[in-house]
Amino acid sequence: VKHQSLDQVGYWRSADVNSDFQQALLADFKPRDFSKSNSLGFDHAVHWFKFTITNAQQATRSQLLEVAYAPLD
């Protein structure tokens, strides 16, 4: 299994707990550097992340996104 780290991650925090994918598509994502700290604190907001994965091969590939330590709720 080959792992690829994400160099650039966009981050958007929405105080609207009902925010959805359509709102995220229009949101202003800011760059977020997780190399220093991956803590976002604790609140009831919705946290959205955006990144690009590039397939340098011609063949279609399946990808798996793994979040190593994920107390997400």
Side-chain angles (χ1 to χ4, degrees):
V1 175
K2 188 176 186 179
H3 292 91
Q4 176 184 1
S5 64
L6 300 173
D7 296 326
Q8 295 183 347
V9 176
Y11 171 69
W12 173 53
R13 179 188 176 276
S14 174
D16 178 3
V17 297
N18 296 310
S19 62
D20 61 19
F21 186 69
Q22 292 301 316
Q23 290 171 301
L25 287 174
L26 301 172
D28 183 23
F29 281 75
K30 303 291 185 197
R32 173 78 186 190
D33 182 5
F34 287 102
S35 65
K36 296 177 183 148
S37 172
N38 61 359
S39 176
L40 298 172
F42 178 80
D43 64 18
H44 294 283
V46 179
H47 300 268
W48 293 83
F49 302 92
K50 178 170 80 171
F51 52 89
T52 301
I53 297 175
T54 303
N55 181 5
Q57 301 177 5
Q58 290 186 358
T60 301
R61 295 178 56 186
S62 295
Q63 298 277 330
L64 171 68
L65 174 64
E66 179 182 353
V67 179
Y69 176 68
L72 297 176
D73 53 337

